[in-house]
Amino acid sequence: MASTLNNESGEKAATCSRQGWHLARLFAHLERASEVARQRRALLRLGDMALKDFGASRADAWHEGSRPWWDLPKDC
């Protein structure tokens, strides 16, 4: 009987652990998406000379800045 209780509690602990892991991944993804959105807004505020410093045009900035917040770069 004791082994059954340990087994059930072990399964519950494993389930909670998996759920916690999924929540942690979700929050990490949302945090990254928020940071990327902040960077895109900052890019839109740059002047033409600042954009030119790293080889971007105003059109490049608008293209990148208009992407939705959930559209993350592939390296994420």
Side-chain angles (χ1 to χ4, degrees):
M1 177 98 175
S3 63
T4 305
L5 291 175
N6 288 339
N7 222 2
E8 288 175 3
S9 64
E11 289 174 11
K12 287 181 182 177
T15 300
C16 289
S17 177
R18 281 190 299 259
Q19 289 172 348
W21 180 77
H22 288 302
L23 281 175
R25 285 190 61 198
L26 173 64
F27 284 121
H29 180 78
L30 292 174
E31 184 177 4
R32 176 68 177 139
S34 176
E35 175 62 18
V36 168
R38 185 197 63 76
Q39 292 173 5
R40 288 176 177 157
R41 288 190 305 271
L43 182 65
L44 290 173
R45 289 190 301 267
L46 290 177
D48 290 336
M49 293 303 292
L51 291 169
K52 186 179 177 183
D53 282 346
F54 62 90
S57 67
R58 175 62 49 202
D60 294 333
W62 279 109
H63 177 73
E64 183 65 25
S66 66
R67 290 172 62 184
W69 65 268
W70 63 83
D71 187 9
L72 299 178
K74 295 297 182 204
D75 65 341
C76 293

